[in-house]
Amino acid sequence: MSVSRTGILPCCALLSLSAILPAPLWAADAANAFNPAIGLILNGTLGHFSREPDDYAIAGLPLGGESEPGSQGFALGESELNISANIDPDWFGAITVALGDETEVENAYVQTSPAEGLTFRGGRFFSGIGYLNEQHAHTWDFADTALAYRALLGTQYKDDGVQLRWLAPTELYTEVGAEWFNGSAYPAGGSASKGQGAWSVFVHSGGDIGQSSSWRAGLSYLNANADARESGDEDNPDLFSGSSKVAIADFVWKWSPGGNAYNRSVKVQGEYLLSKNDGDFIPAGGSELPYSATPKGWYLQTIYQFAHGWRAGVRHDQLDAGQNDATFAGSVLDAQNHTPQRNSLMLDYSNSEFSRLRLQYNRDESQPQIDHQWLLQYTMSLGAHGAHRF
């Protein structure tokens, strides 16, 4: 399998099991050539929402992190500047800066070269939990993330900390990982436990089925403590102190005829997230209330590449707030006896592996009132870029 220098190559082209290997290990080869490798992702959208996105909410669930559904009208999306290089024979380093209305260090970490299958990473990075969590936004198959990730992980869980991964020397791909974080990012918050407030474990396994199919499945668990975690309105936020535990089961299956995804391929992907929250919740302007809930959510999506460069996708999301306590009537935690859900259709075209145009429609029923969302998106890649995960 050849390693692309861009991430916007359709993921189904990466059917070989070797593509499951952690991206930085492959990126290190490219980094030797560019030393450092510098890449830029340009992303922009034209959005039309029948309901004002600034008023977006999900019935019965507090929203934290970067959980906005998008912007009305023309908007510069999240562009990224990536720099990475081998530091010496034993260390690799990378930084990704998200460029938009605000500048944010998305990733900045150092990582050891593999030794007996073990790698160590330290700095800021996306957690290895789940399937979507570790992917940068420009690699998603839809313009936005799954509702379950938006509601239960603040879109993606990334934080400052350390990670240890072990790739087992087995014929069946098996990877085990453990992480320890500061606990400053949703669903954690406030850097609880003296800045050591979150930890996670995960296991991923996968393999090939003949020459045309490959799969990956995983189980993950995140334990996050929160100290005055903010959600909702930035100027008048809701506050939560307590613990949030999130368990994730994920599965991905890819198919292309004879392993050649040039013209046709299929990708089926789904995840189930189950959260357990216990603590005290202070609605904006209200008083402290005991809060215990078990929200959950799932999504299932299919991407079909029907011709070279052309792909179509369909996705269904659904959430359950996990409680409907009358105590929270009228607050953000009032589920209103409503089941948040969303159906999405997507069509995109890649002129090359460096450019993509996408049209997407969402029928979003996160709230009892339907929101019809249209998104036109471009994603372009300039410069060096490492291969993406399976």
Side-chain angles (χ1 to χ4, degrees):
M1 184 200 76
S2 63
V3 177
S4 166
R5 70 186 183 94
T6 180
I8 53 179
L9 174 71
C11 291
C12 290
L14 307 177
L15 276 172
S16 170
L17 179 59
S18 60
I20 303 175
L21 290 172
L25 307 184
W26 293 90
D29 292 338
N32 274 330
F34 292 91
N35 201 24
I38 300 175
L40 186 64
I41 300 295
L42 300 177
N43 180 37
T45 59
L46 171 60
H48 174 77
F49 296 75
S50 62
R51 296 178 58 80
E52 184 53 50
D54 289 342
D55 298 331
Y56 181 80
I58 297 178
L61 292 163
L63 294 181
E66 301 173 356
S67 52
E68 302 83 4
S71 299
Q72 196 82 273
F74 292 102
L76 181 64
E78 186 179 280
S79 299
E80 297 177 356
L81 174 64
N82 308 289
I83 302 174
S84 61
N86 290 324
I87 299 169
D88 61 26
D90 295 326
W91 288 93
F92 170 84
I95 183 169
T96 300
V97 179
L99 307 172
D101 294 333
E102 298 180 357
T103 299
E104 179 192 13
V105 176
E106 195 166 70
N107 278 340
Y109 62 84
V110 295
Q111 179 173 306
T112 62
S113 300
E116 302 296 331
L118 279 172
T119 56
F120 169 83
R121 177 180 292 187
R124 177 177 299 174
F125 51 90
F126 290 116
S127 168
I129 59 175
Y131 179 73
L132 267 181
N133 192 77
E134 207 166 8
Q135 297 185 2
H136 289 266
H138 67 271
T139 71
W140 295 343
D141 292 316
F142 287 83
D144 44 22
T145 192
L147 279 185
Y149 270 75
R150 182 180 292 170
L152 304 182
L153 293 174
T155 298
Q156 286 176 286
Y157 182 66
K158 69 171 182 293
D159 208 341
D160 300 347
V162 294
Q163 177 193 75
L164 189 65
R165 302 177 92 123
W166 179 59
L167 186 62
T170 56
E171 185 174 345
L172 184 70
Y173 167 77
T174 303
E175 177 193 56
V176 180
E179 302 165 324
W180 192 9
F181 292 110
N182 176 284
S184 60
Y186 197 94
S191 300
S193 305
K194 299 181 179 180
Q196 302 166 53
W199 58 268
S200 71
V201 292
F202 55 85
V203 57
H204 301 139
S205 186
D208 295 330
I209 305 173
Q211 293 184 337
S212 301
S213 299
S214 57
W215 62 276
R216 199 202 83 164
L219 294 172
S220 308
Y221 179 80
L222 171 67
N223 187 94
N225 295 321
D227 183 7
R229 182 191 73 193
E230 296 185 357
S231 59
D233 190 338
E234 292 183 358
D235 298 325
N236 189 24
D238 307 309
L239 300 176
F240 172 75
S241 294
S243 67
S244 291
K245 302 176 176 61
V246 183
I248 306 173
D250 64 84
F251 180 79
V252 181
W253 173 77
K254 297 182 181 182
W255 172 89
S256 64
N260 183 354
Y262 187 80
N263 288 317
R264 281 194 304 144
S265 64
V266 176
K267 178 183 180 184
V268 179
Q269 170 186 332
E271 294 186 71
Y272 181 84
L273 284 75
L274 175 65
S275 180
K276 181 75 173 70
N277 302 309
D278 289 295
D280 297 313
F281 190 83
I282 306 177
S287 52
E288 183 175 292
L289 297 168
Y291 173 56
S292 179
T294 309
K296 46 186 156 310
W298 60 273
Y299 74 90
L300 182 64
Q301 66 184 51
T302 299
I303 304 296
Y304 175 50
Q305 179 185 339
F306 54 90
H308 179 62
W310 287 94
R311 305 189 313 160
V314 58
R315 177 182 65 188
H316 177 76
D317 302 82
Q318 192 162 312
L319 293 169
D320 180 348
Q323 59 84 30
N324 198 22
D325 194 326
T327 306
F328 297 106
S331 77
V332 68
L333 296 181
D334 184 357
Q336 306 173 55
N337 293 317
H338 176 67
T339 299
Q341 58 183 311
R342 180 181 63 180
N343 291 299
S344 305
L345 296 173
M346 180 281 293
L347 177 68
D348 67 26
Y349 173 70
S350 297
N351 185 54
S352 70
E353 56 186 301
F354 309 119
S355 66
R356 173 168 290 161
L357 299 174
R358 173 179 288 146
L359 177 64
Q360 180 175 323
Y361 167 73
N362 294 334
R363 178 186 169 93
D364 192 323
E365 298 178 63
S366 297
Q367 303 175 80
Q369 302 80 16
I370 298 173
D371 186 4
H372 298 281
Q373 304 171 351
W374 290 92
L375 295 166
L376 183 61
Q377 179 189 40
Y378 69 83
T379 304
M380 308 284 172
S381 172
L382 293 76
H385 200 88
H388 289 153
R389 293 179 175 277
F390 176 79

mmCIF file of all heavy atoms in Angstrom, residues 99-142:
data_model
loop_
_atom_site.group_PDB
_atom_site.id
_atom_site.type_symbol
_atom_site.label_atom_id
_atom_site.label_comp_id
_atom_site.label_asym_id
_atom_site.label_seq_id
_atom_site.Cartn_x
_atom_site.Cartn_y
_atom_site.Cartn_z
ATOM 1 N N LEU A 99 -6.871 27.125 12.718
ATOM 2 C CA LEU A 99 -6.942 28.539 12.358
ATOM 3 C C LEU A 99 -8.379 28.880 11.984
ATOM 4 O O LEU A 99 -8.967 28.252 11.118
ATOM 5 C CB LEU A 99 -6.019 28.837 11.178
ATOM 6 C CG LEU A 99 -4.561 28.383 11.341
ATOM 7 C CD1 LEU A 99 -3.820 28.551 10.026
ATOM 8 C CD2 LEU A 99 -3.893 29.190 12.441
ATOM 9 N N GLY A 100 -8.941 29.874 12.610
ATOM 10 C CA GLY A 100 -10.293 30.328 12.323
ATOM 11 C C GLY A 100 -10.469 31.698 12.943
ATOM 12 O O GLY A 100 -9.532 32.499 12.970
ATOM 13 N N ASP A 101 -11.678 31.981 13.420
ATOM 14 C CA ASP A 101 -11.886 33.240 14.128
ATOM 15 C C ASP A 101 -11.018 33.289 15.382
ATOM 16 O O ASP A 101 -10.648 34.361 15.842
ATOM 17 C CB ASP A 101 -13.358 33.389 14.505
ATOM 18 C CG ASP A 101 -14.238 33.527 13.267
ATOM 19 O OD1 ASP A 101 -13.720 34.006 12.235
ATOM 20 O OD2 ASP A 101 -15.417 33.149 13.333
ATOM 21 N N GLU A 102 -10.738 32.127 15.935
ATOM 22 C CA GLU A 102 -9.813 32.014 17.059
ATOM 23 C C GLU A 102 -8.743 30.987 16.698
ATOM 24 O O GLU A 102 -8.990 30.054 15.945
ATOM 25 C CB GLU A 102 -10.549 31.576 18.332
ATOM 26 C CG GLU A 102 -11.609 32.564 18.800
ATOM 27 C CD GLU A 102 -12.315 32.079 20.057
ATOM 28 O OE1 GLU A 102 -12.012 30.954 20.503
ATOM 29 O OE2 GLU A 102 -13.169 32.821 20.572
ATOM 30 N N THR A 103 -7.539 31.215 17.211
ATOM 31 C CA THR A 103 -6.436 30.282 16.968
ATOM 32 C C THR A 103 -6.265 29.374 18.179
ATOM 33 O O THR A 103 -6.268 29.845 19.321
ATOM 34 C CB THR A 103 -5.132 31.052 16.705
ATOM 35 O OG1 THR A 103 -5.298 31.875 15.542
ATOM 36 C CG2 THR A 103 -3.980 30.085 16.464
ATOM 37 N N GLU A 104 -6.151 28.080 17.927
ATOM 38 C CA GLU A 104 -6.059 27.116 19.023
ATOM 39 C C GLU A 104 -5.048 26.027 18.683
ATOM 40 O O GLU A 104 -4.991 25.565 17.539
ATOM 41 C CB GLU A 104 -7.420 26.464 19.270
ATOM 42 C CG GLU A 104 -7.405 25.423 20.376
ATOM 43 C CD GLU A 104 -8.674 24.590 20.416
ATOM 44 O OE1 GLU A 104 -9.448 24.663 19.437
ATOM 45 O OE2 GLU A 104 -8.873 23.871 21.386
ATOM 46 N N VAL A 105 -4.239 25.669 19.655
ATOM 47 C CA VAL A 105 -3.335 24.534 19.486
ATOM 48 C C VAL A 105 -4.172 23.265 19.653
ATOM 49 O O VAL A 105 -4.630 22.938 20.743
ATOM 50 C CB VAL A 105 -2.192 24.561 20.517
ATOM 51 C CG1 VAL A 105 -1.336 23.303 20.375
ATOM 52 C CG2 VAL A 105 -1.330 25.802 20.322
ATOM 53 N N GLU A 106 -4.401 22.572 18.537
ATOM 54 C CA GLU A 106 -5.252 21.386 18.563
ATOM 55 C C GLU A 106 -4.468 20.174 19.048
ATOM 56 O O GLU A 106 -4.927 19.424 19.898
ATOM 57 C CB GLU A 106 -5.801 21.136 17.164
ATOM 58 C CG GLU A 106 -6.955 20.178 17.116
ATOM 59 C CD GLU A 106 -7.664 20.236 15.782
ATOM 60 O OE1 GLU A 106 -7.073 19.792 14.789
ATOM 61 O OE2 GLU A 106 -8.805 20.743 15.739
ATOM 62 N N ASN A 107 -3.285 19.982 18.462
ATOM 63 C CA ASN A 107 -2.383 18.911 18.873
ATOM 64 C C ASN A 107 -0.984 19.476 19.023
ATOM 65 O O ASN A 107 -0.568 20.302 18.218
ATOM 66 C CB ASN A 107 -2.323 17.794 17.822
ATOM 67 C CG ASN A 107 -3.475 16.820 17.921
ATOM 68 O OD1 ASN A 107 -4.124 16.725 18.951
ATOM 69 N ND2 ASN A 107 -3.734 16.103 16.849
ATOM 70 N N ALA A 108 -0.273 19.052 20.004
ATOM 71 C CA ALA A 108 1.149 19.400 20.137
ATOM 72 C C ALA A 108 1.746 18.336 21.046
ATOM 73 O O ALA A 108 1.517 18.337 22.253
ATOM 74 C CB ALA A 108 1.328 20.788 20.731
ATOM 75 N N TYR A 109 2.457 17.406 20.434
ATOM 76 C CA TYR A 109 2.930 16.278 21.242
ATOM 77 C C TYR A 109 4.265 15.750 20.727
ATOM 78 O O TYR A 109 4.673 16.035 19.601
ATOM 79 C CB TYR A 109 1.896 15.140 21.236
ATOM 80 C CG TYR A 109 1.611 14.550 19.884
ATOM 81 C CD1 TYR A 109 2.428 13.552 19.343
ATOM 82 C CD2 TYR A 109 0.531 15.001 19.147
ATOM 83 C CE1 TYR A 109 2.160 13.013 18.107
ATOM 84 C CE2 TYR A 109 0.261 14.475 17.893
ATOM 85 C CZ TYR A 109 1.068 13.470 17.374
ATOM 86 O OH TYR A 109 0.810 12.938 16.132
ATOM 87 N N VAL A 110 4.917 15.009 21.584
ATOM 88 C CA VAL A 110 6.099 14.245 21.192
ATOM 89 C C VAL A 110 5.774 12.771 21.406
ATOM 90 O O VAL A 110 4.954 12.423 22.266
ATOM 91 C CB VAL A 110 7.333 14.650 22.018
ATOM 92 C CG1 VAL A 110 7.704 16.087 21.723
ATOM 93 C CG2 VAL A 110 7.099 14.454 23.513
ATOM 94 N N GLN A 111 6.416 11.924 20.605
ATOM 95 C CA GLN A 111 6.113 10.496 20.681
ATOM 96 C C GLN A 111 7.370 9.695 20.408
ATOM 97 O O GLN A 111 8.180 10.077 19.559
ATOM 98 C CB GLN A 111 5.046 10.146 19.646
ATOM 99 C CG GLN A 111 4.671 8.665 19.613
ATOM 100 C CD GLN A 111 3.494 8.400 18.700
ATOM 101 O OE1 GLN A 111 2.449 9.008 18.843
ATOM 102 N NE2 GLN A 111 3.678 7.486 17.760
ATOM 103 N N THR A 112 7.497 8.606 21.131
ATOM 104 C CA THR A 112 8.668 7.752 20.934
ATOM 105 C C THR A 112 8.495 6.859 19.719
ATOM 106 O O THR A 112 7.379 6.566 19.289
ATOM 107 C CB THR A 112 8.883 6.856 22.161
ATOM 108 O OG1 THR A 112 7.742 6.003 22.322
ATOM 109 C CG2 THR A 112 9.104 7.675 23.416
ATOM 110 N N SER A 113 9.601 6.432 19.157
ATOM 111 C CA SER A 113 9.561 5.406 18.123
ATOM 112 C C SER A 113 9.117 4.094 18.763
ATOM 113 O O SER A 113 9.371 3.865 19.957
ATOM 114 C CB SER A 113 10.950 5.231 17.496
ATOM 115 O OG SER A 113 11.386 6.434 16.902
ATOM 116 N N PRO A 114 8.456 3.222 18.015
ATOM 117 C CA PRO A 114 7.967 1.979 18.616
ATOM 118 C C PRO A 114 9.118 1.073 19.059
ATOM 119 O O PRO A 114 10.125 0.937 18.356
ATOM 120 C CB PRO A 114 7.146 1.346 17.495
ATOM 121 C CG PRO A 114 7.681 1.947 16.232
ATOM 122 C CD PRO A 114 8.099 3.329 16.580
ATOM 123 N N ALA A 115 8.942 0.499 20.229
ATOM 124 C CA ALA A 115 9.911 -0.463 20.757
ATOM 125 C C ALA A 115 9.122 -1.614 21.355
ATOM 126 O O ALA A 115 8.355 -1.415 22.306
ATOM 127 C CB ALA A 115 10.794 0.193 21.826
ATOM 128 N N GLU A 116 9.273 -2.792 20.749
ATOM 129 C CA GLU A 116 8.490 -3.966 21.180
ATOM 130 C C GLU A 116 6.997 -3.670 21.109
ATOM 131 O O GLU A 116 6.217 -4.148 21.935
ATOM 132 C CB GLU A 116 8.882 -4.379 22.609
ATOM 133 C CG GLU A 116 10.340 -4.707 22.793
ATOM 134 C CD GLU A 116 10.787 -5.924 21.979
ATOM 135 O OE1 GLU A 116 9.934 -6.794 21.740
ATOM 136 O OE2 GLU A 116 11.969 -5.973 21.578
ATOM 137 N N GLY A 117 6.605 -2.837 20.135
ATOM 138 C CA GLY A 117 5.193 -2.505 19.955
ATOM 139 C C GLY A 117 4.699 -1.382 20.837
ATOM 140 O O GLY A 117 3.552 -0.955 20.717
ATOM 141 N N LEU A 118 5.533 -0.867 21.720
ATOM 142 C CA LEU A 118 5.129 0.183 22.657
ATOM 143 C C LEU A 118 5.491 1.559 22.131
ATOM 144 O O LEU A 118 6.592 1.767 21.588
ATOM 145 C CB LEU A 118 5.820 -0.021 24.004
ATOM 146 C CG LEU A 118 5.221 -1.047 24.959
ATOM 147 C CD1 LEU A 118 6.163 -1.251 26.140
ATOM 148 C CD2 LEU A 118 3.846 -0.588 25.464
ATOM 149 N N THR A 119 4.562 2.493 22.249
ATOM 150 C CA THR A 119 4.858 3.893 21.967
ATOM 151 C C THR A 119 4.329 4.737 23.113
ATOM 152 O O THR A 119 3.286 4.440 23.713
ATOM 153 C CB THR A 119 4.219 4.372 20.654
ATOM 154 O OG1 THR A 119 2.804 4.140 20.712
ATOM 155 C CG2 THR A 119 4.815 3.667 19.454
ATOM 156 N N PHE A 120 5.061 5.809 23.394
ATOM 157 C CA PHE A 120 4.654 6.754 24.438
ATOM 158 C C PHE A 120 4.452 8.107 23.802
ATOM 159 O O PHE A 120 5.251 8.543 22.967
ATOM 160 C CB PHE A 120 5.738 6.859 25.519
ATOM 161 C CG PHE A 120 5.510 7.996 26.482
ATOM 162 C CD1 PHE A 120 4.646 7.841 27.560
ATOM 163 C CD2 PHE A 120 6.143 9.228 26.307
ATOM 164 C CE1 PHE A 120 4.426 8.889 28.441
ATOM 165 C CE2 PHE A 120 5.937 10.282 27.179
ATOM 166 C CZ PHE A 120 5.072 10.106 28.248
ATOM 167 N N ARG A 121 3.373 8.773 24.181
ATOM 168 C CA ARG A 121 3.073 10.108 23.658
ATOM 169 C C ARG A 121 2.809 11.043 24.833
ATOM 170 O O ARG A 121 2.149 10.675 25.809
ATOM 171 C CB ARG A 121 1.848 10.063 22.744
ATOM 172 C CG ARG A 121 1.411 11.398 22.197
ATOM 173 C CD ARG A 121 0.192 11.265 21.298
ATOM 174 N NE ARG A 121 0.491 10.554 20.065
ATOM 175 C CZ ARG A 121 -0.378 10.424 19.058
ATOM 176 N NH1 ARG A 121 -1.587 10.947 19.167
ATOM 177 N NH2 ARG A 121 -0.036 9.775 17.968
ATOM 178 N N GLY A 122 3.289 12.268 24.727
ATOM 179 C CA GLY A 122 3.031 13.263 25.774
ATOM 180 C C GLY A 122 2.792 14.619 25.154
ATOM 181 O O GLY A 122 3.428 14.993 24.173
ATOM 182 N N GLY A 123 1.858 15.383 25.728
ATOM 183 C CA GLY A 123 1.526 16.704 25.210
ATOM 184 C C GLY A 123 0.024 16.878 25.141
ATOM 185 O O GLY A 123 -0.705 16.417 26.021
ATOM 186 N N ARG A 124 -0.458 17.545 24.091
ATOM 187 C CA ARG A 124 -1.906 17.686 23.866
ATOM 188 C C ARG A 124 -2.269 16.896 22.620
ATOM 189 O O ARG A 124 -1.618 17.033 21.581
ATOM 190 C CB ARG A 124 -2.283 19.157 23.689
ATOM 191 C CG ARG A 124 -3.763 19.379 23.368
ATOM 192 C CD ARG A 124 -4.099 20.850 23.283
ATOM 193 N NE ARG A 124 -3.835 21.521 24.543
ATOM 194 C CZ ARG A 124 -3.941 22.837 24.715
ATOM 195 N NH1 ARG A 124 -4.319 23.606 23.714
ATOM 196 N NH2 ARG A 124 -3.673 23.379 25.886
ATOM 197 N N PHE A 125 -3.328 16.098 22.726
ATOM 198 C CA PHE A 125 -3.698 15.249 21.589
ATOM 199 C C PHE A 125 -5.127 14.754 21.767
ATOM 200 O O PHE A 125 -5.688 14.804 22.869
ATOM 201 C CB PHE A 125 -2.742 14.058 21.471
ATOM 202 C CG PHE A 125 -2.563 13.279 22.746
ATOM 203 C CD1 PHE A 125 -3.387 12.214 23.055
ATOM 204 C CD2 PHE A 125 -1.573 13.631 23.656
ATOM 205 C CE1 PHE A 125 -3.231 11.505 24.236
ATOM 206 C CE2 PHE A 125 -1.404 12.934 24.837
ATOM 207 C CZ PHE A 125 -2.234 11.870 25.134
ATOM 208 N N PHE A 126 -5.719 14.283 20.655
ATOM 209 C CA PHE A 126 -7.034 13.660 20.719
ATOM 210 C C PHE A 126 -6.891 12.283 21.360
ATOM 211 O O PHE A 126 -6.005 11.501 20.999
ATOM 212 C CB PHE A 126 -7.629 13.498 19.320
ATOM 213 C CG PHE A 126 -8.035 14.802 18.679
ATOM 214 C CD1 PHE A 126 -7.412 15.247 17.530
ATOM 215 C CD2 PHE A 126 -9.048 15.577 19.226
ATOM 216 C CE1 PHE A 126 -7.785 16.437 16.929
ATOM 217 C CE2 PHE A 126 -9.422 16.776 18.640
ATOM 218 C CZ PHE A 126 -8.794 17.210 17.493
ATOM 219 N N SER A 127 -7.790 11.988 22.284
ATOM 220 C CA SER A 127 -7.770 10.682 22.930
ATOM 221 C C SER A 127 -8.007 9.570 21.909
ATOM 222 O O SER A 127 -8.713 9.759 20.911
ATOM 223 C CB SER A 127 -8.844 10.638 24.020
ATOM 224 O OG SER A 127 -9.044 9.316 24.478
ATOM 225 N N GLY A 128 -7.459 8.403 22.170
ATOM 226 C CA GLY A 128 -7.631 7.256 21.294
ATOM 227 C C GLY A 128 -8.948 6.532 21.480
ATOM 228 O O GLY A 128 -9.167 5.484 20.867
ATOM 229 N N ILE A 129 -9.856 7.037 22.297
ATOM 230 C CA ILE A 129 -11.136 6.368 22.530
ATOM 231 C C ILE A 129 -12.006 6.441 21.272
ATOM 232 O O ILE A 129 -11.931 7.380 20.493
ATOM 233 C CB ILE A 129 -11.891 6.989 23.724
ATOM 234 C CG1 ILE A 129 -12.148 8.480 23.469
ATOM 235 C CG2 ILE A 129 -11.122 6.776 25.011
ATOM 236 C CD1 ILE A 129 -13.007 9.134 24.556
ATOM 237 N N GLY A 130 -12.845 5.411 21.083
ATOM 238 C CA GLY A 130 -13.796 5.410 19.986
ATOM 239 C C GLY A 130 -13.117 5.360 18.628
ATOM 240 O O GLY A 130 -11.935 5.031 18.491
ATOM 241 N N TYR A 131 -13.887 5.689 17.599
ATOM 242 C CA TYR A 131 -13.351 5.717 16.234
ATOM 243 C C TYR A 131 -13.217 7.146 15.717
ATOM 244 O O TYR A 131 -12.160 7.560 15.261
ATOM 245 C CB TYR A 131 -14.261 4.908 15.311
ATOM 246 C CG TYR A 131 -13.777 4.908 13.874
ATOM 247 C CD1 TYR A 131 -12.662 4.166 13.496
ATOM 248 C CD2 TYR A 131 -14.421 5.676 12.903
ATOM 249 C CE1 TYR A 131 -12.204 4.179 12.188
ATOM 250 C CE2 TYR A 131 -13.966 5.691 11.592
ATOM 251 C CZ TYR A 131 -12.861 4.946 11.245
ATOM 252 O OH TYR A 131 -12.404 4.972 9.941
ATOM 253 N N LEU A 132 -14.298 7.932 15.846
ATOM 254 C CA LEU A 132 -14.263 9.295 15.329
ATOM 255 C C LEU A 132 -13.394 10.219 16.161
ATOM 256 O O LEU A 132 -12.859 11.201 15.634
ATOM 257 C CB LEU A 132 -15.689 9.878 15.315
ATOM 258 C CG LEU A 132 -16.525 9.757 14.045
ATOM 259 C CD1 LEU A 132 -17.874 10.425 14.257
ATOM 260 C CD2 LEU A 132 -15.796 10.370 12.864
ATOM 261 N N ASN A 133 -13.227 9.918 17.448
ATOM 262 C CA ASN A 133 -12.624 10.897 18.344
ATOM 263 C C ASN A 133 -11.226 11.315 17.911
ATOM 264 O O ASN A 133 -10.843 12.470 18.051
ATOM 265 C CB ASN A 133 -12.575 10.355 19.772
ATOM 266 C CG ASN A 133 -12.222 11.447 20.764
ATOM 267 O OD1 ASN A 133 -13.074 12.273 21.101
ATOM 268 N ND2 ASN A 133 -10.967 11.500 21.217
ATOM 269 N N GLU A 134 -10.467 10.370 17.376
ATOM 270 C CA GLU A 134 -9.069 10.656 17.076
ATOM 271 C C GLU A 134 -8.881 11.271 15.687
ATOM 272 O O GLU A 134 -7.760 11.643 15.315
ATOM 273 C CB GLU A 134 -8.241 9.380 17.188
ATOM 274 C CG GLU A 134 -6.797 9.622 17.535
ATOM 275 C CD GLU A 134 -6.086 8.359 17.959
ATOM 276 O OE1 GLU A 134 -6.669 7.271 17.833
ATOM 277 O OE2 GLU A 134 -4.951 8.459 18.406
ATOM 278 N N GLN A 135 -9.953 11.383 14.927
ATOM 279 C CA GLN A 135 -9.847 11.902 13.565
ATOM 280 C C GLN A 135 -9.990 13.417 13.547
ATOM 281 O O GLN A 135 -10.869 13.979 14.208
ATOM 282 C CB GLN A 135 -10.926 11.279 12.680
ATOM 283 C CG GLN A 135 -10.802 9.771 12.537
ATOM 284 C CD GLN A 135 -11.813 9.217 11.553
ATOM 285 O OE1 GLN A 135 -12.586 9.948 10.950
ATOM 286 N NE2 GLN A 135 -11.813 7.913 11.395
ATOM 287 N N HIS A 136 -9.148 14.069 12.768
ATOM 288 C CA HIS A 136 -9.299 15.501 12.587
ATOM 289 C C HIS A 136 -10.556 15.775 11.758
ATOM 290 O O HIS A 136 -10.973 14.956 10.924
ATOM 291 C CB HIS A 136 -8.071 16.089 11.899
ATOM 292 C CG HIS A 136 -6.853 16.121 12.777
ATOM 293 N ND1 HIS A 136 -6.495 17.232 13.524
ATOM 294 C CD2 HIS A 136 -5.933 15.186 13.061
ATOM 295 C CE1 HIS A 136 -5.397 16.972 14.204
ATOM 296 N NE2 HIS A 136 -5.034 15.718 13.948
ATOM 297 N N ALA A 137 -11.136 16.961 11.950
ATOM 298 C CA ALA A 137 -12.431 17.269 11.340
ATOM 299 C C ALA A 137 -12.404 17.156 9.816
ATOM 300 O O ALA A 137 -13.400 16.757 9.206
ATOM 301 C CB ALA A 137 -12.871 18.671 11.764
ATOM 302 N N HIS A 138 -11.262 17.474 9.198
ATOM 303 C CA HIS A 138 -11.239 17.457 7.731
ATOM 304 C C HIS A 138 -11.244 16.030 7.162
ATOM 305 O O HIS A 138 -11.375 15.853 5.952
ATOM 306 C CB HIS A 138 -10.022 18.222 7.206
ATOM 307 C CG HIS A 138 -8.705 17.578 7.507
ATOM 308 N ND1 HIS A 138 -8.003 17.842 8.655
ATOM 309 C CD2 HIS A 138 -7.968 16.668 6.822
ATOM 310 C CE1 HIS A 138 -6.885 17.132 8.649
ATOM 311 N NE2 HIS A 138 -6.835 16.416 7.552
ATOM 312 N N THR A 139 -11.095 15.021 8.017
ATOM 313 C CA THR A 139 -11.146 13.633 7.539
ATOM 314 C C THR A 139 -12.523 13.002 7.721
ATOM 315 O O THR A 139 -12.736 11.876 7.286
ATOM 316 C CB THR A 139 -10.113 12.763 8.282
ATOM 317 O OG1 THR A 139 -10.546 12.564 9.636
ATOM 318 C CG2 THR A 139 -8.743 13.418 8.279
ATOM 319 N N TRP A 140 -13.436 13.719 8.372
ATOM 320 C CA TRP A 140 -14.770 13.149 8.572
ATOM 321 C C TRP A 140 -15.459 12.935 7.232
ATOM 322 O O TRP A 140 -15.229 13.659 6.263
ATOM 323 C CB TRP A 140 -15.628 14.089 9.419
ATOM 324 C CG TRP A 140 -15.139 14.282 10.822
ATOM 325 C CD1 TRP A 140 -14.245 13.510 11.500
ATOM 326 C CD2 TRP A 140 -15.518 15.337 11.711
ATOM 327 N NE1 TRP A 140 -14.043 14.012 12.759
ATOM 328 C CE2 TRP A 140 -14.810 15.132 12.924
ATOM 329 C CE3 TRP A 140 -16.383 16.430 11.616
ATOM 330 C CZ2 TRP A 140 -14.938 15.982 14.016
ATOM 331 C CZ3 TRP A 140 -16.519 17.275 12.702
ATOM 332 C CH2 TRP A 140 -15.815 17.046 13.892
ATOM 333 N N ASP A 141 -16.355 11.965 7.193
ATOM 334 C CA ASP A 141 -17.116 11.689 5.985
ATOM 335 C C ASP A 141 -18.339 12.590 5.855
ATOM 336 O O ASP A 141 -19.003 12.586 4.817
ATOM 337 C CB ASP A 141 -17.550 10.220 5.967
ATOM 338 C CG ASP A 141 -16.363 9.283 5.795
ATOM 339 O OD1 ASP A 141 -15.508 9.579 4.943
ATOM 340 O OD2 ASP A 141 -16.275 8.281 6.531
ATOM 341 N N PHE A 142 -18.651 13.327 6.900
ATOM 342 C CA PHE A 142 -19.706 14.330 6.848
ATOM 343 C C PHE A 142 -19.116 15.660 7.333
ATOM 344 O O PHE A 142 -18.053 15.678 7.962
ATOM 345 C CB PHE A 142 -20.900 13.921 7.730
ATOM 346 C CG PHE A 142 -21.706 12.795 7.155
ATOM 347 C CD1 PHE A 142 -21.294 11.471 7.341
ATOM 348 C CD2 PHE A 142 -22.855 13.043 6.417
ATOM 349 C CE1 PHE A 142 -22.013 10.421 6.798
ATOM 350 C CE2 PHE A 142 -23.586 11.995 5.875
ATOM 351 C CZ PHE A 142 -23.171 10.681 6.062
#
